[in-house]
Amino acid sequence: MYSYTYDDIAERYIDTIYRLALARTKSREHAEDVTQDVFLKLLQSKKKFECEEHLKAWLLRVAINHTKDLLMSSWLRKTDELDESIPAEENEKSELYEAVMQLPVKYRTVIHLHYYEGYSVDEISGIMKIKQGTVKAQLHRGREMLKNILEAD
């Protein structure tokens, strides 16, 4: 079994979880809330992890589930967004990042996990609990959408 301290895990993965939540929600506030919820769930969990990759995959899966719940919540659907752009981090100021943020959430998620976090199709399939073919199709469609967005600009 993999042993860890909460502080080590938080330090190592907080940015990863935050970036994934931001990519899915397009909101700093929601991303911060999701990140906090993920690490709170880790604290409350009695789950034993086989290795560090198992722990990271679990954290990403919990983040995906929390963002999905948030995006599907009736409260969020009944509120209006403020018309302001997301203040980007230094490494997020690129034209490509802005184009990725325009994609629908399912494409943003697989693009983020594959290109920003370095996961393979097989690993994304396990994390998201979808078929490998679905991941491949979403990556392909996401890349096509990105190409169209970037060419339009």
Side-chain angles (χ1 to χ4, degrees):
M1 286 298 144
Y2 175 70
S3 67
Y4 58 89
T5 66
Y6 180 80
D7 290 340
D8 290 341
I9 297 307
E11 185 177 317
R12 188 172 296 133
Y13 295 113
I14 198 162
D15 290 338
T16 301
I17 299 305
Y18 174 79
R19 286 190 312 265
L20 175 62
L22 181 62
R24 287 181 57 84
T25 64
K26 294 189 191 181
S27 163
R28 286 178 155 247
E29 291 79 17
H30 292 315
E32 289 169 359
D33 290 344
V34 167
T35 302
Q36 182 177 355
D37 290 345
V38 167
F39 285 98
L40 182 60
K41 187 161 185 166
L42 176 64
L43 269 176
Q44 295 170 340
S45 174
K46 303 281 189 226
K47 188 160 181 64
K48 301 290 183 202
F49 299 99
E50 299 166 9
C51 61
E52 188 170 350
E53 278 303 308
H54 181 219
L55 169 64
K56 184 177 180 183
W58 183 86
L59 290 169
L60 291 169
R61 181 75 237 162
V62 171
I64 289 168
N65 287 341
H66 276 304
T67 58
K68 189 183 300 182
D69 291 345
L70 177 69
L71 295 171
M72 298 297 287
S73 73
S74 61
W75 177 84
L76 186 64
R77 285 183 277 154
K78 292 178 183 175
T79 59
D80 289 329
E81 277 190 40
L82 294 175
D83 188 21
E84 57 184 78
S85 63
I86 299 171
E89 300 293 332
E90 277 303 309
N91 62 348
E92 298 171 344
K93 288 184 179 178
S94 73
E95 183 180 347
L96 179 60
Y97 179 79
E98 293 300 322
V100 170
M101 294 307 283
Q102 293 178 37
L103 296 174
V105 69
K106 67 183 179 180
Y107 302 118
R108 274 197 317 267
T109 303
V110 295
I111 294 284
H112 178 83
L113 290 173
H114 187 70
Y115 291 105
Y116 288 88
E117 301 301 332
Y119 279 100
S120 69
V121 168
D122 185 43
E123 292 167 325
I124 295 169
S125 171
I127 291 168
M128 295 186 66
K129 300 195 185 318
I130 58 178
K131 295 179 182 178
Q132 288 183 11
T134 304
V135 173
K136 289 177 185 177
Q138 288 178 353
L139 279 171
H140 176 74
R141 289 182 191 127
R143 285 190 291 257
E144 287 298 314
M145 289 178 183
L146 279 174
K147 180 181 172 187
N148 292 337
I149 291 168
L150 292 170
E151 285 176 353
D153 292 342

